[in-house]
Amino acid sequence: MIHYFYGPDSLRRNLKFKDALNEISKKSGTVEEMDVDLDEKEDAWKEIKEFVNQQSIFGGVKVAVVRNPSFSEDERWLDFLRQKISDGNIHIFMSESRAKPLKAFEFLVKKPSDFYEFQELTGSNLSSFVVSESKKRGFSFSPEALSFFVSFLEGQKEGKSWMAVNEIEKFSFLSRETISLEDMAKSSRFPDFDEVWVLTKRILNSDKLGERAYFLEKLFMEEADPSYVFNSLAFGAKGRDLMKLSDYDIMVKSGKLDFPEALFSFVLGGV
C-alpha cells in the first residue's frame, strides 16, 4: 500500500508522517525498513523495488520510506508504484514538499492510495493551530495578541507552522496563563513589526488626508500584509477611529469589503 504525504508545510507533514510510521510498527511488530531519497540519488527507486520484491528474512512487514519520490519520472518507477498502490503486504511511505503532485504522479492522490495534503495554513485554520499549540504548552493568547500573531504569520510566505511553534515555545517560558501583546513585544522581535507599527501610528495620529494616504501607500509599496496593517491599526486606535475600524471589521468578515478596500476607505474618511 502507498501512503503519500505532500505539501509545503513540512512541520505538520513530518509529524503526520512519523505518526503513521509508528502506527505501522505498533500494529506489525517485526518490521523491515528501507529509507531512500530520490533527490540525493535519482535511481534509488530501483533499490526500493528490489527491497520490496525480495522475500522477507524475518517474516515481518516491509516498509519502504521514499523521500522526494517524483524526482524520477522513469516509467518503470511509475509502473511499480501503480502495481503496489493497493498491495496490503507492503507499505511504501512517500513524502515531498510539492504543493501538488506532478501530472505523472496524480494517481497518488486518488484512492486506493492513502494520501495526505499539507498546504500552508491560513485564516481560521492557522488561528486554530496557534490556539491548539499554545494550549499544549499551558497558556492562551489574549484576543488582541492572537489576532496580531495570526496576522503576522499570514504575512509569511512559507514556514508558518514552524515559525508559529518556535515563537509559541518562547512565549511558554514566560510562565503566564495569558500572553498579551506587550508580552510578545518583549520576548520576540517580528521582522516587520516596527515598520508597520510606526506607520499605522502615524496614520492614526495624523489629521491630514494627504499624510494618511501617503503612509498607507508606503505600507502597500513595502508589501505589508493588508490584514496585518488593519489589525495594527485596530490595536492602536481609540474612540471614533476604533468604532470605525470595528464597523469595517464586520464588513470584511461578511464579505462586503476586503482588507485593502477597508483600509483605503478608513484612511480617506469613509463610513
Side-chain angles (χ1 to χ4, degrees):
M1 185 173 187
I2 289 178
H3 309 268
Y4 181 53
F5 302 74
Y6 71 101
D9 190 336
S10 59
L11 175 68
R12 292 186 303 120
R13 174 164 48 84
N14 290 338
L15 288 173
K16 181 66 177 177
F17 191 81
K18 290 177 181 177
D19 285 344
L21 272 174
N22 289 336
E23 190 64 26
I24 292 294
S25 297
K26 288 178 183 178
K27 288 181 178 179
S28 306
T30 303
V31 173
E32 289 184 60
E33 185 175 323
M34 183 176 210
D35 192 327
V36 301
D37 189 337
L38 269 60
D39 182 24
E40 298 176 355
K41 187 179 179 183
E42 190 175 314
D43 64 352
W45 62 266
K46 295 177 182 178
E47 299 171 22
I48 292 296
K49 184 176 179 180
E50 183 179 353
F51 167 74
V52 167
N53 289 333
Q54 285 177 344
Q55 185 174 353
S56 176
I57 300 174
F58 305 106
V61 171
K62 287 196 171 185
V63 174
V65 175
V66 185
R67 306 181 195 281
N68 301 302
S70 62
F71 272 58
S72 173
E73 294 186 70
D74 191 299
E75 194 58 40
R76 293 168 295 174
W77 170 228
L78 294 168
D79 285 341
F80 169 73
L81 293 177
R82 292 190 188 98
Q83 292 168 15
K84 300 301 180 182
I85 198 166
S86 58
D87 186 342
N89 296 316
I90 57 99
H91 293 275
I92 302 176
F93 283 82
M94 303 197 295
S95 178
E96 61 184 340
S97 62
R98 296 185 189 276
K100 61 179 182 179
L102 297 178
K103 188 173 181 60
F105 291 84
E106 286 180 347
F107 65 93
L108 293 175
V109 291
K110 298 175 183 177
K111 292 297 183 182
S113 172
D114 179 35
F115 57 92
Y116 304 87
E117 180 181 8
F118 298 91
Q119 300 299 335
E120 290 283 358
L121 293 171
T122 59
S124 60
N125 290 329
L126 179 57
S127 182
S128 295
F129 177 78
V130 169
V131 169
S132 175
E133 291 299 314
S134 60
K135 187 176 180 180
K136 290 177 185 177
R137 293 160 179 80
F139 72 90
S140 63
F141 288 94
S142 70
E144 296 82 6
L146 177 63
S147 182
F148 174 84
F149 190 40
V150 171
S151 293
F152 165 74
L153 294 170
E154 288 272 19
Q156 309 308 305
K157 294 181 179 179
E158 58 187 6
K160 292 182 177 67
S161 62
W162 278 106
M163 188 172 294
V165 168
N166 286 338
E167 293 300 329
I168 287 169
E169 285 287 352
K170 290 182 188 176
F171 302 147
S172 70
F173 295 136
L174 297 175
S175 300
R176 297 182 184 275
E177 289 186 5
T178 303
I179 296 295
S180 67
L181 263 177
E182 291 75 17
D183 295 327
M184 293 173 62
K186 290 175 183 176
S187 62
S188 292
R189 184 183 183 281
F190 300 100
D192 56 350
F193 179 93
D194 292 336
E195 184 68 10
V196 172
W197 211 249
V198 168
L199 290 177
T200 53
K201 281 186 177 295
R202 288 182 179 178
I203 289 173
L204 292 169
N205 292 334
S206 176
D207 56 4
K208 296 180 180 179
L209 181 62
E211 284 186 355
R212 289 160 65 94
Y214 169 76
F215 295 139
L216 181 61
E217 183 180 9
K218 183 173 174 60
L219 285 166
F220 283 145
M221 288 183 66
E222 293 178 358
E223 300 184 350
D225 181 76
S227 65
Y228 182 38
V229 174
F230 186 91
N231 285 322
S232 297
L233 281 169
F235 299 148
K238 298 178 181 178
R240 189 177 177 184
D241 280 339
L242 184 57
M243 293 297 294
K244 283 185 177 181
L245 288 165
S246 296
D247 291 337
Y248 282 120
D249 187 50
I250 292 171
M251 286 189 278
V252 169
K253 288 177 179 175
S254 65
K256 294 179 180 179
L257 292 176
D258 59 22
F259 279 115
E261 291 170 334
L263 288 167
F264 277 119
S265 183
F266 173 76
V267 165
L268 297 175
V271 178

